[in-house]
Amino acid sequence: MHTYHQPQIETMPPEELRKLQDERLKAQVKHVYESVPHYRQLMDEKGVKPEDIRGVDDLWKLPFTSKADLRECYPDGMLAIPKSECVRIHSTSGTTGKRVIAYYNQHDIDLWEDCCARAIVAAGGSAEDVCQVCYGYGLFTGGFGLHGGSQKVGCLTLPMSSGNTARQIQFMQDLGATILCCTPSYAAYIGETVKEMGIKPEDLKLKAGIFGAEAWSDEMRADIEKSLGLKAYNIYGLTELSGPGVSFECEQQDGMHINEDHFIAEIIDPETGAVLPDGTQGELVFTAITRQAFPVIRYRTRDICVLHRGKCSCGRTFVKMGRPMGRTDDMLIIRGVNVFPSQIEAVLIQQGYSSNYQIVVDRVRNTDTFDVYVEMNPEQFSDAVRKITLHERALVEAMRSMLGISPSVHLVAPKSIARSEGKAVRVVDKRKI
């Protein structure tokens, strides 16, 4: 017996879905052309007018947008409705200074929460469930998205946010949580802590986990499922498109259904921008066709993946995306937070260090470790150990305020970080993901 949050949409015949997308895309292109000068300029430069877009088949004619466009238009140059009609913002951690800010009106929040509710129901959730949300609340979209989706389904919602693991486990036991929403690495950490506390998976009531915001492998999935006694489902999203719930896994656990009534997906060649056929690996591009406040058209996600069409045993007709296999840029996702080497470089230069540094990321006991090795200049190198420790602490603080997470900073002797002939190896990622 399959259940859906919105059965008439999730199981819509493909030709009806295509008709709906055509109508929504036409309306959205007209909306952005008339309301957002930046889009009008991009379309004019490409020689395309709203009336040239009659449906999804004409999508390729439209210009791409990227994070660079969103930064250039910071803070509200991409806003397509009056700011007075917006009720919330969310933001990503972006490179230096300019973050990406996404605006929402009430309509956008309702649709986003529907997408998250679909993900919860696909993982077996219903009004009988107790849903523990341990994604971060605040500017990060994870907490609010799944919180709203959980309430739409009618679950008893525990807005825990992340951290304070002992309290998480106490509530999990005392309130009988059945669904856990967090990053996969945090789920793995909870699993380990539960074991250390002598609690067996069968002592918990958990049946499903909805995990996203960072890369994770099938091996990690199997470990989490075993340690917490649940079924682990993947969820995908981007702040630029609203947040988690752009796509989600069903009981088949072999790819994530994209909510195609809200988002049109394409796969392109990252070098040429040419659209590639389904089943081909390339860069994922999304067009948001229902967002009113902050609509993005042909947004390049930088995620590399594959789209698969075909019948799914769950009955949903939405296209599936494979798990992203990597990125076309240098962004790292550490403990669910986006980190760019350029952010770290900016902090070092501001604090008077050389730009010779190395970031080492690893995963120890299912939690990301994050170390930054920085070369001192000769004057600093002659300082007493106590002074060096103070310098390290100051850098940790500066990086925490830039990134939102704290690395371990190690000041090392001048010239001790290996030089390379070609591109400097700034990032060493030892995680097996």
Side-chain angles (χ1 to χ4, degrees), residues 98-255:
K98 300 272 179 88
R99 286 169 168 259
V100 168
I101 289 183
Y103 290 83
Y104 302 71
N105 64 3
Q106 194 54 51
H107 159 275
D108 297 339
I109 286 175
D110 289 340
L111 296 187
W112 174 27
E113 290 179 350
D114 277 338
C115 290
C116 291
R118 291 175 191 176
I120 290 167
V121 175
S126 75
E128 308 300 305
D129 282 291
V130 177
C131 183
Q132 185 156 338
V133 182
C134 323
Y135 285 109
Y137 280 69
L139 288 171
F140 180 62
T141 51
F144 277 101
L146 283 144
H147 176 101
S150 168
Q151 285 186 307
K152 275 220 162 151
V153 174
C155 304
L156 174 62
T157 307
L158 313 185
M160 302 294 294
S161 201
S162 48
N164 202 335
T165 308
R167 187 181 64 193
Q168 300 276 8
I169 294 166
Q170 187 192 336
F171 271 54
M172 203 176 275
Q173 289 182 291
D174 297 350
L175 293 163
T178 52
I179 297 172
L180 175 65
C181 304
C182 60
T183 62
S185 55
Y186 192 51
Y189 181 68
I190 292 173
E192 280 176 358
T193 313
V194 159
K195 191 177 175 185
E196 282 164 11
M197 291 167 75
I199 302 165
K200 295 187 176 66
E202 54 272 24
D203 297 339
L204 299 170
K205 293 215 167 91
L206 292 174
K207 63 175 188 184
I210 298 174
F211 306 133
E214 62 188 14
W216 54 309
S217 60
D218 280 327
E219 292 71 33
M220 191 167 177
R221 188 202 304 256
D223 285 349
I224 295 170
E225 291 190 331
K226 197 168 145 203
S227 72
L228 290 172
L230 49 69
K231 229 181 137 174
Y233 297 86
N234 209 347
I235 189 167
Y236 174 88
L238 301 153
T239 305
E240 297 88 330
L241 292 165
S242 61
V246 171
S247 66
F248 60 90
E249 264 183 332
C250 62
E251 63 226 34
Q252 255 193 246
Q253 292 177 297
D254 67 347

Side-chain angles (χ1 to χ4, degrees), residues 297-308:
I297 304 280
R298 297 197 87 200
Y299 183 72
R300 296 186 61 158
T301 66
R302 301 286 174 197
D303 283 320
I304 299 294
C305 76
V306 177
L307 295 181
H308 299 283

